[in-house]
Coordinates of all heavy atoms in Angstrom, one line a residue:
M1 N 0.5 -21.2 -261.5 CA 1.2 -22.3 -261.0 C 1.7 -23.2 -262.1 O 0.9 -23.7 -263.0 CB 0.3 -23.1 -260.1 CG 0.9 -24.4 -259.5 SD 2.2 -24.1 -258.3 CE 1.3 -23.4 -257.0
A2 N 3.0 -23.5 -262.1 CA 3.5 -24.3 -263.2 C 3.1 -25.8 -263.0 O 2.9 -26.2 -261.8 CB 5.0 -24.2 -263.2
K3 N 2.9 -26.5 -264.1 CA 2.6 -27.9 -264.0 C 3.9 -28.7 -264.4 O 4.5 -28.3 -265.4 CB 1.4 -28.2 -264.9 CG 0.1 -27.8 -264.3 CD -1.0 -28.7 -264.8 CE -2.4 -28.3 -264.5 NZ -2.7 -27.7 -263.3
C4 N 4.1 -29.8 -263.7 CA 5.2 -30.6 -264.1 C 5.0 -31.3 -265.4 O 3.9 -31.9 -265.6 CB 5.4 -31.7 -263.0 SG 6.6 -32.9 -263.3
P5 N 5.9 -31.2 -266.4 CA 5.7 -31.8 -267.7 C 5.6 -33.3 -267.6 O 5.2 -34.0 -268.6 CB 6.8 -31.3 -268.5 CG 7.8 -30.6 -267.6 CD 7.1 -30.5 -266.3
K6 N 6.1 -33.9 -266.6 CA 6.2 -35.3 -266.4 C 4.9 -35.9 -265.9 O 4.3 -36.8 -266.5 CB 7.4 -35.7 -265.5 CG 7.5 -37.2 -265.2 CD 8.1 -37.9 -266.4 CE 8.2 -39.4 -266.1 NZ 8.6 -40.2 -267.3
C7 N 4.4 -35.4 -264.8 CA 3.2 -36.0 -264.2 C 2.0 -35.1 -264.3 O 0.9 -35.4 -263.9 CB 3.5 -36.3 -262.7 SG 3.8 -34.9 -261.7
N8 N 2.2 -33.8 -264.8 CA 1.1 -32.9 -265.0 C 0.4 -32.4 -263.8 O -0.7 -32.0 -263.8 CB 0.0 -33.6 -265.9 CG -0.2 -32.9 -267.2 OD1 0.5 -31.9 -267.5 ND2 -1.1 -33.3 -268.0
K9 N 1.1 -32.5 -262.7 CA 0.6 -31.9 -261.4 C 1.3 -30.6 -261.1 O 2.4 -30.4 -261.5 CB 0.7 -32.9 -260.3 CG -0.1 -34.1 -260.5 CD 0.1 -35.1 -259.4 CE -0.7 -36.4 -259.6 NZ -0.2 -37.6 -259.0
N10 N 0.7 -29.8 -260.2 CA 1.2 -28.6 -259.8 C 2.6 -28.8 -259.2 O 2.8 -29.7 -258.4 CB 0.3 -27.9 -258.8 CG -0.9 -27.3 -259.5 OD1 -0.9 -27.1 -260.7 ND2 -2.0 -27.1 -258.8
V11 N 3.5 -27.9 -259.5 CA 4.8 -27.9 -258.9 C 4.9 -26.8 -257.9 O 4.9 -25.6 -258.3 CB 5.9 -27.8 -259.9 CG1 7.3 -27.9 -259.3 CG2 5.8 -28.8 -261.0
Y12 N 5.1 -27.1 -256.6 CA 5.3 -26.0 -255.6 C 6.8 -25.7 -255.5 O 7.7 -26.4 -255.8 CB 4.7 -26.5 -254.3 CG 3.2 -26.7 -254.4 CD1 2.7 -27.9 -254.7 CD2 2.4 -25.6 -254.2 CE1 1.3 -28.1 -254.8 CE2 1.0 -25.8 -254.3 CZ 0.5 -27.0 -254.6 OH -0.9 -27.2 -254.7
F13 N 7.0 -24.5 -255.0 CA 8.3 -23.9 -255.0 C 9.3 -24.8 -254.3 O 10.4 -25.0 -254.8 CB 8.3 -22.6 -254.3 CG 9.6 -21.9 -254.2 CD1 10.1 -21.3 -255.4 CD2 10.4 -21.9 -253.1 CE1 11.3 -20.7 -255.4 CE2 11.6 -21.3 -253.1 CZ 12.1 -20.7 -254.2
A14 N 8.9 -25.4 -253.2 CA 9.8 -26.2 -252.4 C 10.3 -27.5 -253.1 O 11.4 -28.0 -252.8 CB 9.2 -26.6 -251.1
E15 N 9.6 -27.9 -254.0 CA 10.0 -29.2 -254.7 C 10.3 -29.0 -256.2 O 10.5 -29.9 -256.9 CB 8.8 -30.2 -254.6 CG 7.5 -29.6 -255.2 CD 6.3 -30.5 -254.9 OE1 6.4 -31.5 -254.3 OE2 5.2 -30.1 -255.3
K16 N 10.5 -27.7 -256.5 CA 10.7 -27.4 -257.9 C 12.2 -27.4 -258.4 O 13.0 -27.0 -257.7 CB 10.2 -26.0 -258.1 CG 10.4 -25.4 -259.5 CD 9.7 -24.1 -259.7 CE 10.7 -23.0 -259.4 NZ 10.2 -21.6 -259.9
V17 N 12.4 -28.0 -259.5 CA 13.7 -27.8 -260.2 C 13.3 -27.3 -261.6 O 12.3 -27.7 -262.2 CB 14.5 -29.1 -260.3 CG1 15.0 -29.5 -258.9 CG2 13.7 -30.3 -260.9
T18 N 14.2 -26.5 -262.1 CA 13.9 -25.9 -263.5 C 14.9 -26.5 -264.5 O 16.1 -26.4 -264.2 CB 14.0 -24.4 -263.4 OG1 13.1 -23.9 -262.5 CG2 13.6 -23.8 -264.8
S19 N 14.4 -27.1 -265.5 CA 15.3 -27.5 -266.6 C 14.5 -27.5 -267.9 O 13.3 -27.7 -267.9 CB 15.9 -28.9 -266.3 OG 17.1 -29.1 -267.0
L20 N 15.2 -27.4 -269.0 CA 14.6 -27.3 -270.3 C 13.5 -26.2 -270.4 O 12.6 -26.3 -271.1 CB 13.9 -28.7 -270.7 CG 14.8 -29.9 -270.5 CD1 14.0 -31.2 -270.8 CD2 16.0 -29.9 -271.4
G21 N 13.7 -25.2 -269.5 CA 12.7 -24.1 -269.5 C 11.4 -24.4 -268.9 O 10.5 -23.7 -269.0
K22 N 11.4 -25.6 -268.2 CA 10.1 -25.9 -267.5 C 10.4 -26.2 -266.0 O 11.6 -26.5 -265.6 CB 9.5 -27.2 -268.2 CG 9.1 -26.9 -269.6 CD 8.7 -28.2 -270.3 CE 8.3 -28.0 -271.7 NZ 8.5 -29.1 -272.5
D23 N 9.3 -26.3 -265.3 CA 9.5 -26.6 -263.8 C 9.1 -28.0 -263.6 O 8.0 -28.5 -264.0 CB 8.6 -25.7 -263.0 CG 9.1 -24.2 -263.1 OD1 10.3 -24.0 -263.3 OD2 8.3 -23.3 -263.0
W24 N 9.9 -28.8 -262.9 CA 9.7 -30.2 -262.6 C 9.7 -30.5 -261.2 O 10.3 -29.7 -260.4 CB 10.8 -31.0 -263.2 CG 11.1 -30.8 -264.7 CD1 11.7 -29.7 -265.2 CD2 10.9 -31.6 -265.8 NE1 11.8 -29.8 -266.6 CE2 11.3 -31.0 -267.0 CE3 10.3 -32.9 -265.9 CZ2 11.2 -31.6 -268.2 CZ3 10.2 -33.5 -267.2 CH2 10.7 -32.8 -268.3
H25 N 9.0 -31.5 -260.7 CA 9.2 -32.0 -259.4 C 10.6 -32.6 -259.4 O 11.1 -33.2 -260.4 CB 8.2 -33.2 -259.1 CG 6.8 -32.7 -259.0 ND1 5.9 -33.1 -259.9 CD2 6.2 -31.9 -258.1 CE1 4.7 -32.5 -259.5 NE2 4.9 -31.8 -258.5
R26 N 11.3 -32.5 -258.3 CA 12.7 -33.1 -258.3 C 12.7 -34.5 -258.7 O 13.5 -34.9 -259.5 CB 13.2 -32.9 -256.8 CG 14.7 -33.3 -256.7 CD 15.6 -32.2 -257.4 NE 16.9 -32.7 -257.6 CZ 17.3 -33.4 -258.7 NH1 16.5 -33.8 -259.6 NH2 18.6 -33.8 -258.8
P27 N 11.8 -35.4 -258.2 CA 11.9 -36.8 -258.6 C 11.4 -37.1 -260.0 O 11.6 -38.1 -260.5 CB 11.0 -37.5 -257.6 CG 10.3 -36.5 -256.7 CD 10.8 -35.1 -257.1
C28 N 10.7 -36.1 -260.6 CA 10.2 -36.3 -262.0 C 11.3 -36.0 -263.0 O 11.1 -36.4 -264.2 CB 9.0 -35.4 -262.2 SG 7.5 -36.0 -261.4
L29 N 12.3 -35.2 -262.7 CA 13.3 -34.9 -263.6 C 14.3 -36.1 -263.7 O 15.3 -36.1 -263.0 CB 14.1 -33.6 -263.3 CG 15.1 -33.2 -264.3 CD1 14.4 -32.8 -265.6 CD2 15.9 -32.0 -263.8
K30 N 13.9 -37.1 -264.5 CA 14.8 -38.2 -264.6 C 14.8 -38.7 -266.1 O 13.9 -38.4 -266.8 CB 14.4 -39.3 -263.7 CG 12.9 -39.8 -263.9 CD 12.5 -40.7 -262.8 CE 11.1 -41.2 -262.9 NZ 10.6 -42.0 -261.9
C31 N 15.8 -39.5 -266.4 CA 16.0 -40.0 -267.7 C 14.8 -40.8 -268.2 O 14.3 -41.7 -267.5 CB 17.2 -40.8 -267.8 SG 17.5 -41.6 -269.4
E32 N 14.3 -40.5 -269.4 CA 13.1 -41.2 -269.9 C 13.4 -42.7 -270.1 O 12.5 -43.5 -270.2 CB 12.7 -40.6 -271.2 CG 11.8 -39.3 -271.1 CD 10.4 -39.7 -270.7 OE1 9.8 -40.6 -271.3 OE2 9.9 -39.0 -269.7
K33 N 14.7 -43.0 -270.4 CA 15.0 -44.3 -270.7 C 15.4 -45.2 -269.5 O 14.8 -46.2 -269.3 CB 16.1 -44.3 -271.8 CG 16.4 -45.7 -272.3 CD 17.2 -45.6 -273.6 CE 17.2 -47.0 -274.3 NZ 18.0 -48.0 -273.5
C34 N 16.4 -44.7 -268.8 CA 16.9 -45.6 -267.7 C 16.4 -45.2 -266.3 O 16.5 -45.9 -265.4 CB 18.4 -45.6 -267.7 SG 19.1 -44.0 -267.2
G35 N 15.7 -44.0 -266.2 CA 15.1 -43.6 -265.0 C 16.1 -43.0 -264.0 O 15.7 -42.8 -262.8
K36 N 17.3 -42.7 -264.4 CA 18.3 -42.1 -263.5 C 17.9 -40.7 -263.2 O 17.4 -40.0 -264.1 CB 19.6 -42.2 -264.2 CG 20.8 -41.6 -263.4 CD 22.1 -42.1 -263.9 CE 22.5 -41.4 -265.2 NZ 23.8 -42.0 -265.8
T37 N 18.0 -40.3 -262.0 CA 17.7 -38.9 -261.6 C 18.7 -38.0 -262.2 O 19.9 -38.2 -262.2 CB 17.7 -38.7 -260.1 OG1 16.9 -39.7 -259.5 CG2 17.2 -37.4 -259.7
L38 N 18.2 -36.8 -262.8 CA 19.1 -35.9 -263.5 C 19.3 -34.6 -262.8 O 18.4 -34.2 -262.0 CB 18.5 -35.6 -264.9 CG 18.3 -36.9 -265.7 CD1 17.4 -36.5 -267.0 CD2 19.6 -37.5 -266.2
N39 N 20.4 -34.0 -263.0 CA 20.6 -32.6 -262.5 C 20.2 -31.6 -263.5 O 20.6 -31.7 -264.6 CB 22.1 -32.4 -262.1 CG 22.5 -33.3 -261.0 OD1 21.9 -33.4 -260.0 ND2 23.7 -34.0 -261.2
P40 N 19.4 -30.6 -263.0 CA 19.0 -29.5 -263.9 C 20.1 -28.9 -264.6 O 21.1 -28.6 -264.0 CB 18.3 -28.5 -263.0 CG 18.0 -29.3 -261.7 CD 19.0 -30.4 -261.6
G41 N 20.0 -28.8 -266.0 CA 21.0 -28.1 -266.7 C 22.2 -29.0 -267.2 O 23.0 -28.6 -268.0
S42 N 22.3 -30.2 -266.6 CA 23.4 -31.1 -267.0 C 22.9 -32.4 -267.5 O 23.3 -33.4 -267.0 CB 24.4 -31.2 -265.9 OG 23.8 -31.8 -264.8
H43 N 21.9 -32.3 -268.4 CA 21.4 -33.6 -269.0 C 21.0 -33.2 -270.4 O 20.9 -32.1 -270.8 CB 20.3 -34.2 -268.2 CG 19.1 -33.2 -268.1 ND1 18.1 -33.2 -269.1 CD2 18.7 -32.3 -267.2 CE1 17.2 -32.3 -268.7 NE2 17.6 -31.7 -267.6
A44 N 20.8 -34.3 -271.2 CA 20.4 -34.1 -272.6 C 18.8 -34.0 -272.7 O 18.1 -34.3 -271.7 CB 20.9 -35.2 -273.4
E45 N 18.4 -33.7 -273.9 CA 16.9 -33.5 -274.1 C 16.6 -33.9 -275.5 O 17.3 -33.7 -276.4 CB 16.6 -32.0 -273.8 CG 15.2 -31.6 -274.2 CD 15.0 -31.1 -275.6 OE1 16.0 -30.6 -276.2 OE2 14.0 -31.3 -276.2
H46 N 15.4 -34.5 -275.6 CA 14.9 -34.8 -276.9 C 13.4 -34.8 -276.9 O 12.8 -35.4 -276.1 CB 15.4 -36.3 -277.4 CG 15.0 -36.6 -278.8 ND1 15.7 -36.2 -279.9 CD2 14.0 -37.3 -279.2 CE1 15.1 -36.6 -281.0 NE2 14.0 -37.3 -280.6
D47 N 12.8 -34.0 -277.8 CA 11.4 -33.9 -277.8 C 10.8 -33.3 -276.5 O 9.7 -33.7 -276.1 CB 10.8 -35.2 -278.1 CG 10.1 -35.3 -279.5 OD1 10.0 -34.2 -280.1 OD2 9.7 -36.3 -280.0
G48 N 11.6 -32.5 -275.8 CA 11.1 -32.0 -274.6 C 11.2 -32.9 -273.4 O 10.8 -32.6 -272.3
K49 N 11.8 -34.1 -273.7 CA 11.9 -35.1 -272.6 C 13.4 -35.2 -272.2 O 14.3 -35.1 -273.0 CB 11.4 -36.5 -273.0 CG 9.9 -36.5 -273.2 CD 9.5 -37.8 -273.8 CE 8.0 -37.7 -274.0 NZ 7.5 -38.7 -275.0
P50 N 13.6 -35.4 -270.9 CA 15.0 -35.4 -270.4 C 15.6 -36.8 -270.5 O 14.9 -37.8 -270.3 CB 14.8 -35.1 -268.9 CG 13.4 -35.5 -268.6 CD 12.6 -35.4 -269.8
Y51 N 16.8 -36.8 -270.9 CA 17.6 -38.0 -271.0 C 19.0 -37.8 -270.3 O 19.5 -36.7 -270.4 CB 17.8 -38.5 -272.4 CG 16.6 -38.9 -273.1 CD1 15.8 -38.0 -273.8 CD2 16.2 -40.3 -273.2 CE1 14.7 -38.4 -274.5 CE2 15.1 -40.7 -273.9 CZ 14.3 -39.7 -274.5 OH 13.2 -40.1 -275.2
C52 N 19.6 -38.8 -269.8 CA 21.0 -38.6 -269.4 C 21.9 -38.6 -270.6 O 21.6 -39.2 -271.6 CB 21.4 -39.8 -268.4 SG 21.3 -41.4 -269.0
N53 N 23.0 -37.9 -270.5 CA 23.9 -37.7 -271.6 C 24.5 -39.1 -272.0 O 24.6 -39.4 -273.2 CB 25.0 -36.8 -271.3 CG 24.6 -35.3 -271.4 OD1 24.0 -34.9 -272.3 ND2 24.8 -34.6 -270.3
N54 N 24.8 -39.8 -271.0 CA 25.4 -41.1 -271.1 C 24.8 -42.1 -270.2 O 24.7 -41.9 -269.0 CB 26.9 -41.0 -270.8 CG 27.7 -40.8 -272.1 OD1 27.6 -41.7 -273.0 ND2 28.5 -39.8 -272.2
P55 N 24.4 -43.3 -270.7 CA 24.6 -43.7 -272.1 C 23.4 -43.4 -272.9 O 23.5 -43.5 -274.2 CB 24.8 -45.2 -271.9 CG 23.9 -45.5 -270.7 CD 24.0 -44.3 -269.8
C56 N 22.3 -43.0 -272.4 CA 21.1 -43.0 -273.1 C 21.0 -42.1 -274.3 O 20.7 -42.5 -275.4 CB 19.9 -42.7 -272.2 SG 19.7 -44.0 -270.9
Y57 N 21.3 -40.8 -274.1 CA 21.2 -39.9 -275.3 C 22.2 -40.3 -276.4 O 21.8 -40.3 -277.5 CB 21.4 -38.5 -274.8 CG 21.1 -37.5 -275.9 CD1 19.8 -37.0 -276.1 CD2 22.1 -37.1 -276.8 CE1 19.5 -36.1 -277.2 CE2 21.8 -36.2 -277.9 CZ 20.5 -35.7 -278.0 OH 20.2 -34.9 -279.1
T58 N 23.4 -40.6 -276.0 CA 24.4 -40.9 -276.9 C 24.0 -42.2 -277.7 O 24.1 -42.3 -278.9 CB 25.7 -41.2 -276.2 OG1 26.0 -40.0 -275.4 CG2 26.8 -41.4 -277.2
A59 N 23.4 -43.2 -277.0 CA 23.0 -44.4 -277.6 C 21.8 -44.2 -278.5 O 21.7 -44.8 -279.6 CB 22.7 -45.4 -276.5
L60 N 20.9 -43.4 -278.1 CA 19.6 -43.2 -278.8 C 19.8 -42.2 -280.0 O 19.3 -42.5 -281.1 CB 18.5 -42.7 -277.9 CG 18.0 -43.7 -276.9 CD1 17.1 -43.0 -275.9 CD2 17.2 -44.8 -277.6
F61 N 20.4 -41.1 -279.7 CA 20.4 -40.0 -280.7 C 21.7 -39.5 -281.2 O 21.8 -38.7 -282.1 CB 19.6 -38.8 -280.1 CG 18.3 -39.2 -279.5 CD1 18.1 -39.1 -278.1 CD2 17.3 -39.8 -280.2 CE1 16.9 -39.5 -277.5 CE2 16.1 -40.1 -279.6 CZ 15.9 -40.0 -278.3
G62 N 22.8 -40.0 -280.5 CA 24.1 -39.4 -280.8 C 24.6 -39.9 -282.1 O 24.1 -40.9 -282.7
P63 N 25.6 -39.3 -282.6 CA 26.2 -39.7 -283.9 C 26.8 -41.1 -283.8 O 27.5 -41.4 -282.8 CB 27.3 -38.7 -284.1 CG 27.6 -38.0 -282.8 CD 26.3 -38.2 -282.0
G64 N 26.5 -41.9 -284.7 CA 27.0 -43.3 -284.7 C 26.1 -44.2 -283.8 O 26.4 -45.4 -283.8
G65 N 25.2 -43.6 -283.2 CA 24.3 -44.4 -282.4 C 23.2 -45.1 -283.2 O 23.1 -44.9 -284.4
F66 N 22.3 -45.8 -282.5 CA 21.2 -46.3 -283.3 C 19.9 -45.6 -282.9 O 19.9 -44.8 -282.1 CB 21.1 -47.8 -283.0 CG 21.1 -48.1 -281.5 CD1 20.0 -48.1 -280.8 CD2 22.3 -48.5 -280.9 CE1 20.0 -48.4 -279.4 CE2 22.3 -48.8 -279.6 CZ 21.2 -48.7 -278.8
G67 N 18.8 -45.9 -283.6 CA 17.6 -45.3 -283.2 C 17.2 -44.1 -284.0 O 16.2 -43.5 -283.8
R68 N 18.0 -43.7 -285.0 CA 17.7 -42.6 -285.8 C 16.7 -43.0 -286.9 O 16.1 -42.1 -287.6 CB 18.9 -42.0 -286.4 CG 19.6 -41.1 -285.5 CD 20.7 -40.2 -286.2 NE 21.2 -39.2 -285.3 CZ 20.7 -38.0 -285.1 NH1 19.6 -37.7 -285.8 NH2 21.2 -37.1 -284.3
G69 N 16.6 -44.2 -287.2 CA 15.6 -44.7 -288.2 C 16.1 -44.5 -289.6 O 15.4 -44.7 -290.6
G70 N 17.4 -44.2 -289.7 CA 18.0 -44.0 -291.1 C 18.4 -45.3 -291.6 O 18.4 -46.3 -291.0
T71 N 18.9 -45.3 -292.9 CA 19.3 -46.5 -293.5 C 20.8 -46.6 -293.4 O 21.4 -47.7 -293.7 CB 18.9 -46.5 -295.0 OG1 19.3 -45.3 -295.6 CG2 17.4 -46.7 -295.1
E72 N 21.5 -45.5 -293.1 CA 23.0 -45.6 -293.0 C 23.4 -46.5 -291.8 O 22.8 -46.5 -290.8 CB 23.5 -44.2 -292.8 CG 22.9 -43.5 -291.6 CD 23.5 -42.1 -291.4 OE1 24.6 -41.9 -291.7 OE2 22.7 -41.2 -290.8
S73 N 24.3 -47.4 -292.2 CA 24.8 -48.3 -291.1 C 26.3 -48.2 -291.0 O 26.9 -47.6 -291.8 CB 24.3 -49.7 -291.5 OG 24.8 -50.0 -292.8
H74 N 26.7 -48.8 -290.0 CA 28.2 -48.9 -289.6 C 29.1 -48.1 -290.5 O 29.7 -48.6 -291.4 CB 28.6 -50.4 -289.7 CG 27.7 -51.3 -289.0 ND1 26.6 -52.0 -289.5 CD2 27.6 -51.6 -287.7 CE1 26.0 -52.6 -288.6 NE2 26.6 -52.5 -287.5
K75 N 29.3 -46.9 -290.1 CA 30.3 -46.1 -290.8 C 31.4 -45.7 -289.9 O 31.4 -44.7 -289.3 CB 29.6 -44.8 -291.4 CG 28.8 -44.0 -290.4 CD 28.4 -42.7 -291.0 CE 27.6 -41.9 -289.9 NZ 27.2 -40.6 -290.4
Y76 N 32.3 -46.7 -289.7 CA 33.4 -46.4 -288.8 C 34.7 -46.4 -289.6 O 34.8 -47.3 -290.5 CB 33.5 -47.4 -287.7 CG 32.5 -47.1 -286.6 CD1 31.3 -47.9 -286.5 CD2 32.7 -46.1 -285.7 CE1 30.4 -47.6 -285.5 CE2 31.8 -45.9 -284.7 CZ 30.7 -46.6 -284.6 OH 29.7 -46.3 -283.6
Ligands
LIG101 ZN1 6.0 -34.3 -261.5
LIG102 ZN1 19.4 -42.7 -269.1

């Protein structure tokens, strides 16, 4: 029985969605940052955690975004 990577509980077939190669509860597959519910296969991922493509992933990890911890700044 697969365990949901978000809540660590068993995922039964009826409530299962598969994304990032793992099985999730439907309500557990949501953006780590804003909590928006995500569609399997059409969202971003970082460190095995789901994020929405916009705005969260782009803002956090995308090119030109912030949060990379680098020293490079404003290169427009
Ligand atoms: Zn869950
Ligand atoms: Zn988000």
